[in-house]
Amino acid sequence: MENRKGKFITFEGPEGSGKSTQIRLLAEYLSSKDYKIELLREPGGTEIGEKVRAILLDVKFDRMSSFCELYLYLAARAQLIEEKIIPFLNEGKVVFCDRFIDATIAYQVCGSGVAPDFVDGFQKFVAAGLTPRLTILLDIDVETGLKRAASSHPQDRLEKKDVIYHQRVREGYLELAKKNPKRIKVVSSLASIEDVQKKIRGLIADVFK
Ligand code: TMP
């Protein structure tokens, strides 16, 4: 299903790609133009989802099984879709989501090797085919990204996974972009914050025409 009345835009990227900063700057810019933006994040964005997030990112659960991890991400997403995304889109709002389904494909399918059928089933039966109108993929090489992330906050459970895992995640994202060139736009986040923001504003201009 496409975007109902509102606009659903997602932001993705490997660790340390600077998504949060760019989303904040973009939301401030669009708010100054009188757009009402709803900012959400995954996992999280609801009271239940934030609790699930705390479990998912807790370093003490370093032995979490791949399926436990998958289902927790999907559980948080199911709640977010029903409680926030669908109602907001039905009200005609602009919804920015910091990660969505592509993250599950990049991390759990490409990174951890979970079969894509589980994600497809969720998309079909729980998300009812909800697909972002546009996805900005902020790309960064794994070494630089992990270094950036480590310098800004203590490493979480996912960030602690090895470099090879994160390389599979990045390649997974780039592969997704290749398969969905109309929806997923890749922006290198190696440029300055201002230049990256300029590029993103150029890409979203189409949606806000
Ligand atoms: P964040 O760093 O963007 O807040 O995301 C939290 C972590 O969760 C990040 O390491 C990516 C990971 N993640 C998945 O592994 N699968 C998912 O479906 C989502 C939404 C996030």
Side-chain angles (χ1 to χ4, degrees):
M1 188 175 300
E2 280 302 314
N3 273 327
R4 293 154 210 253
K5 265 172 30 194
K7 300 180 201 306
F8 183 37
I9 299 173
T10 59
F11 299 80
E12 300 278 358
E15 308 301 329
S17 62
K19 274 181 299 103
S20 314
T21 306
Q22 293 298 339
I23 296 170
R24 184 177 44 77
L25 291 173
L26 188 63
E28 281 168 12
Y29 167 72
L30 289 170
S31 301
S32 76
K33 306 237 169 263
D34 284 342
Y35 285 101
K36 171 102 190 67
I37 314 289
E38 294 290 347
L39 276 183
L40 300 172
R41 72 167 175 181
E42 276 220 47
T46 64
E47 200 180 346
I48 294 172
E50 290 297 327
K51 295 221 177 222
V52 174
R53 179 186 179 91
I55 297 172
L56 277 164
L57 301 188
D58 193 331
V59 289
K60 111 175 149 231
F61 299 133
D62 59 344
R63 294 176 60 207
M64 185 183 291
S65 89
S66 307
F67 281 110
C68 175
E69 183 179 294
L70 172 76
Y71 284 118
L72 287 175
Y73 278 113
L74 297 182
R77 180 166 307 135
Q79 187 64 32
L80 187 68
I81 290 173
E82 188 175 319
E83 189 180 319
K84 302 258 170 107
I85 300 179
I86 298 294
F88 287 158
L89 292 178
N90 285 342
E91 286 166 28
K93 288 179 171 165
V94 178
V95 177
F96 280 2
C97 201
D98 186 339
R99 297 198 192 277
F100 194 59
I101 206 89
D102 297 316
T104 311
I105 298 170
Y107 282 79
Q108 280 67 53
V109 175
C110 302
S112 304
V114 164
D117 315 43
F118 291 98
V119 185
D120 295 345
F122 176 91
Q123 261 310 79
K124 196 165 159 200
F125 298 112
V126 184
L130 176 70
T131 308
R133 162 105 161 251
L134 174 72
T135 297
I136 303 288
L137 171 54
L138 284 171
D139 181 50
I140 190 157
D141 65 275
V142 170
E143 286 76 11
T144 310
L146 286 174
K147 246 186 243 156
R148 272 193 194 175
S151 69
S152 76
H153 56 259
Q155 277 188 315
D156 63 38
R157 191 180 61 85
L158 274 288
E159 286 163 348
K160 274 182 179 278
K161 291 188 188 248
D162 60 30
V163 171
I164 310 268
Y165 170 86
H166 288 287
Q167 264 154 2
R168 288 199 298 268
V169 170
R170 182 191 184 203
E171 279 156 23
Y173 268 134
L174 293 174
E175 196 56 38
L176 272 171
K178 254 196 219 153
K179 283 191 196 145
N180 301 277
K182 271 182 84 177
R183 174 174 68 86
I184 305 181
K185 304 293 178 195
V186 183
V187 176
S188 165
S189 73
L190 284 175
S192 68
I193 290 178
E194 294 73 23
D195 285 350
V196 173
Q197 181 64 199
K198 227 190 253 168
K199 280 223 170 96
I200 296 175
R201 286 184 195 176
L203 288 167
I204 59 141
D206 254 9
V207 179
F208 288 89
K209 264 200 295 236

